[in-house]
Amino acid sequence: MISKETSSKFGAYPSLKDRSVFITGGGSGIGESLVRHFCAQGSRVAFVDIAEESARALVESLVSEGGSPPLFIRCDLRDIEALRAAMAEAAAHHGPIQVLCNNAGNDDRHQTEDVTVDYWDDRMAVNLRHQFFAAQAARPFMKARGGGSIINLGSITWMVGDPDCPAYVTAKAGIYGLTRALAREFGSERIRVNCLVPGWVMTERQIRLWLTEAGERQIAERQCLPDRLQPDDIARMALFLASDDSAMCTSQQFIVDGGWV
Ligand SMILES: NC(=O)c1ccc[n+]([C@@H]2O[C@H](COP(=O)([O-])OP(=O)(O)OC[C@H]3O[C@@H](n4cnc5c(N)ncnc54)[C@H](O)[C@@H]3O)[C@@H](O)[C@H]2O)c1
């Protein structure tokens, strides 16, 4: 939940009220924060995930808070037909999609010598392919509404050259190329496409799987700012990129990493 005290400290975007928003991977982590933040702005939110339990718990908690609840549709994004069907269902419920947050991803670790062709293809399907096909499906909806905003979740991993997950890092670099290509192609329809690039964000999964004492030291050394990045820090940038406040921003990377150098 975003408490009243917390939300009153941050921006409210009148242009997001009633806007039809579609979020992938909204069941946990940064995606959950995206769902909560767009709902708090009065947007009509639909989200997909494979993690049914946490997704349904999120919907229930938002219902109990009394706001207009998001629509959850179970969908494995590796199945592009299922993704297309979910987007059509979301548009039927909330009106043509105006904001797409391509958020879902998976950073499971792997060593180069262990990567098979099937594993490589699966990593691309989980981290890159659905972003293109979601944008393809969103385009006619956005065109019909006179414009829209597509927000692709990238990562600093490829800029800093992280080891231990080369397929993930490759997919994340590809998302920047995808952003540039689609921003150019869709721009004349006033559809904006940007890449939102998180640093190391303290989601439940990151803390459980990857945050070690060495990782804590790395954050302290490499971030300019001392605080730990939270999912809400990323969601607030997404609100800006989705709103009319960023009307002339497209084809860019927006990095939220506490100054990772
Ligand atoms: N957390 C970080 O430090 C960090 C850093 C850089 C970039 N990112 C990016 O931000 C985005 C969100 O990351 P996160 O940390 O919140 O991840 P997360 O693992 O906490 O959440 C991802 C969500 O996507 C869902 N998902 C995964 N595969 C799916 C599939 N095949 N179909 C449907 N849903 C699926 C998961 O169930 C989960 O709810 C990702 O694109 C990630 O690469 C995260």
Side-chain angles (χ1 to χ4, degrees):
M1 149 171 187
I2 307 166
S3 70
K4 284 212 169 64
E5 192 198 346
T6 306
S7 62
S8 65
K9 278 171 54 183
F10 298 107
Y13 295 91
S15 62
L16 292 180
K17 186 159 174 18
D18 294 328
R19 199 158 275 192
S20 175
V21 177
F22 188 86
I23 297 167
T24 67
S28 65
I30 294 168
E32 173 178 344
S33 185
L34 292 171
V35 170
R36 288 185 181 281
H37 277 79
F38 279 103
C39 285
Q41 296 288 327
S43 304
R44 298 164 193 257
V45 177
F47 72 100
V48 290
D49 209 299
I50 38 173
E52 279 197 68
E53 203 178 317
S54 56
R56 294 199 191 284
L58 171 59
V59 174
E60 272 169 36
S61 95
L62 286 162
V63 168
S64 71
E65 287 163 28
S68 84
L71 172 69
F72 166 60
I73 305 164
R74 193 204 181 278
C75 170
D76 186 332
L77 292 157
R78 289 171 289 195
D79 179 347
I80 298 300
E81 281 312 314
L83 168 63
R84 287 176 173 143
M87 292 180 75
E89 187 180 337
H93 270 78
H94 293 154
I97 293 164
Q98 295 161 287
V99 175
L100 166 64
C101 294
N102 270 327
N103 164 74
N106 181 288
D107 65 351
D108 278 357
R109 303 303 193 244
H110 48 272
Q111 297 302 313
T112 291
E113 59 273 24
D114 301 326
V115 173
T116 62
V117 171
D118 284 348
Y119 186 73
W120 178 270
D121 288 347
D122 185 66
R123 291 302 85 190
M124 295 304 140
V126 168
N127 287 303
L128 176 61
R129 187 176 69 183
H130 60 83
Q131 290 209 5
F132 172 81
F133 285 101
Q136 183 193 59
R139 185 183 187 180
F141 293 129
M142 293 180 175
K143 191 176 175 186
R145 301 289 286 248
S149 175
I150 298 174
I151 301 163
N152 298 328
L153 271 285
S155 174
I156 60 169
T157 48
W158 66 271
M159 289 175 265
V160 301
D162 269 2
D164 298 333
C165 47
Y168 172 80
V169 171
T170 303
K172 288 289 162 186
I175 289 166
Y176 184 42
L178 177 70
T179 300
R180 302 284 293 185
L182 297 187
R184 171 58 71 182
E185 190 182 339
F186 295 5
S188 63
E189 295 157 14
R190 294 191 179 79
I191 299 170
R192 302 184 290 113
V193 189
N194 288 293
C195 192
L196 171 46
V197 180
W200 196 355
V201 183
M202 298 296 106
T203 60
E204 181 276 326
R205 176 182 154 88
Q206 294 297 315
I207 293 167
R208 177 168 44 85
L209 292 180
W210 316 127
L211 187 65
T212 58
E213 276 182 26
E216 292 276 14
R217 280 197 301 278
Q218 198 187 19
I219 293 170
E221 282 163 16
R222 299 198 64 179
Q223 275 188 200
C224 295
L225 298 174
D227 305 309
R228 298 292 175 267
L229 277 168
Q230 301 301 327
D232 292 358
D233 295 310
I234 310 305
R236 285 193 291 269
M237 178 62 92
L239 293 181
F240 170 70
L241 292 174
S243 75
D244 292 352
D245 291 50
S246 60
M248 288 305 285
C249 299
T250 195
S251 197
Q252 302 301 321
Q253 291 200 95
F254 290 81
I255 301 175
V256 184
D257 68 355
W260 190 278
V261 288

